[in-house]
PDB file of all heavy atoms in Angstrom:
ATOM      1  N   GLY D 107      -1.162   1.678 -11.037  1.00 82.00           N
ATOM      2  CA  GLY D 107      -0.708   2.129  -9.726  1.00 82.00           C
ATOM      3  C   GLY D 107      -1.731   2.004  -8.622  1.00 82.00           C
ATOM      4  O   GLY D 107      -1.600   2.649  -7.584  1.00 82.00           O
ATOM      5  N   ASN D 193      22.972 -11.081 -19.552  1.00 84.00           N
ATOM      6  CA  ASN D 193      23.564 -10.039 -20.392  1.00 84.00           C
ATOM      7  C   ASN D 193      23.733 -10.515 -21.825  1.00 84.00           C
ATOM      8  O   ASN D 193      23.471  -9.770 -22.783  1.00 84.00           O
ATOM      9  CB  ASN D 193      24.923  -9.608 -19.813  1.00 84.00           C
ATOM     10  CG  ASN D 193      24.770  -8.770 -18.561  1.00 84.00           C
ATOM     11  OD1 ASN D 193      23.781  -8.050 -18.407  1.00 84.00           O
ATOM     12  ND2 ASN D 193      25.741  -8.848 -17.668  1.00 84.00           N
ATOM     13  N   SER D 216      -1.317   9.669 -27.568  1.00 57.00           N
ATOM     14  CA  SER D 216      -1.620   9.297 -26.183  1.00 57.00           C
ATOM     15  C   SER D 216      -2.503   8.055 -26.157  1.00 57.00           C
ATOM     16  O   SER D 216      -3.512   7.985 -26.843  1.00 57.00           O
ATOM     17  CB  SER D 216      -2.335  10.445 -25.462  1.00 57.00           C
ATOM     18  OG  SER D 216      -1.504  11.585 -25.414  1.00 57.00           O
TER      19      SER D 216
END
Side-chain angles (χ1 to χ4, degrees):
N193 287 330
S216 298

